[in-house]
Amino acid sequence: MTLARIDDGGDRLVVVNMNATRRGALSPDLYAAIARAMEQAADPRIRAVILTAEGGFFCAGGDLNLLIERRKLTEMQRRARVDDLHDLIRAIRACPVPVIAAVEGGAAGAGASLALACDLIVAAEGAKFTAAYVRAGLVPDGGLTASLARLVPRALAMEMCLLARPVTAERMAELGAINQVVPEGGALAAAHALGDALAAGPRDAQGVIRNLVATAYDADAASQLDRERDAMARAAGGDEAAEGIAAFLDKRKPDFRA
């Protein structure tokens, strides 16, 4: 199965289709495929990246068989393996265009880390997000604790991580942690619709916005004001602003694709 491809149907999307084998269990090969998709997004034609999976389950997290093998490694070698996952999370966050997760069935362990690292998340009804690490005597990685701290109340983050209790897509949506809940089987179509909406917008401005929102969680107010000032000053002199302002004054839809 092709793990990553450019959708040439006019959507201007990179779609990463994670292998359904073992319910999308993560592996070094899958890390590499997703990272390549982030690199493809540097193409100015690309407007969004979608992470999805076949088989009715988004991602079951790390492959426990590989983790068993890692017990034979030194702690330094095991650190390097975790860094492989963390490099992937960094690549998602550094992607120049928005990244959308289309979640069917569920996202567990590092699969939840992967989904929650995305900018926009669409999940099917009944899909569950589970921090399953503690069941195997492990602890979260892939930035999961940072994502949960930003997205859900502390008590729920503790419940998810300490007790591995799954949280439904409906509950995550109520908390504002994901963007949309759709009927089962409809997550990918909904993600494509979001991609279409993004493709109609200003690519450069969208990239700057996602970076500003990302830094806002950790920055002090004064530093964030400076970032916004610098970003606005650049944007106001750009072609996208020229088209957007002209379209507003002309009472027409802007054509940012040009």
Side-chain angles (χ1 to χ4, degrees):
M1 184 196 322
T2 300
L3 286 174
R5 64 182 174 82
I6 293 181
D7 189 318
D8 59 1
D11 295 328
R12 299 187 182 185
L13 307 177
V14 173
V15 179
V16 185
N17 192 354
M18 297 186 289
N19 199 319
T21 303
R22 292 183 180 174
R23 304 173 84 191
L26 292 171
S27 66
D29 288 342
L30 190 52
Y31 294 167
I34 299 173
R36 284 196 300 272
M38 301 305 141
E39 293 172 0
Q40 285 178 283
D43 185 326
R45 298 172 299 169
I46 301 304
R47 310 307 296 274
V49 175
I50 294 175
L51 300 187
T52 186
E54 295 181 352
F57 200 89
F58 178 74
C59 183
D63 187 333
L64 290 181
N65 291 299
L66 292 178
L67 290 176
I68 290 172
E69 292 298 315
R70 288 181 189 175
R71 288 179 53 81
K72 303 172 185 177
L73 303 178
T74 67
E75 183 173 338
M76 187 63 70
Q77 290 171 323
R78 291 196 295 271
R79 283 174 181 261
R81 298 300 185 274
V82 177
D83 273 336
D84 290 340
L85 170 62
H86 288 185
D87 286 344
L88 173 58
I89 299 299
R90 292 185 185 100
I92 291 172
R93 292 176 176 167
C95 186
V97 298
V99 182
I100 306 166
V103 179
E104 293 281 350
S113 302
L114 186 64
L116 296 179
C118 296
D119 301 297
L120 298 167
I121 305 169
V122 178
E125 293 172 348
K128 294 180 174 63
F129 294 79
T130 311
Y133 299 88
V134 72
R135 292 177 183 168
L138 299 169
V139 301
D141 59 4
L144 183 59
T145 54
S147 293
L148 290 175
R150 293 177 174 186
L151 295 171
V152 305
R154 181 180 183 276
L156 182 56
M158 286 295 187
E159 182 178 323
M160 291 179 70
C161 293
L162 291 174
L163 299 172
R165 287 180 177 166
V167 179
T168 64
E170 290 81 357
R171 177 64 173 144
M172 293 291 276
E174 288 173 2
L175 294 168
I178 68 175
N179 299 92
Q180 189 177 0
V181 178
V182 298
E184 185 176 347
L188 181 57
H192 272 275
L194 288 176
D196 290 341
L198 290 166
R203 183 183 191 274
D204 293 344
Q206 289 168 349
V208 173
I209 288 167
R210 73 188 294 271
N211 290 335
L212 285 172
V213 172
T215 59
Y217 286 95
D218 302 315
D220 61 87
S223 297
Q224 192 67 8
L225 283 171
D226 288 345
R227 289 188 182 93
E228 290 183 356
R229 175 202 61 206
D230 295 344
M232 174 58 90
R234 287 191 296 270
D239 293 338
E240 290 179 346
E243 168 61 14
I245 293 169
F248 181 83
L249 294 175
D250 294 341
K251 296 181 171 56
R252 60 175 174 82
K253 290 185 178 180
D255 181 9
F256 292 114
R257 294 180 187 237

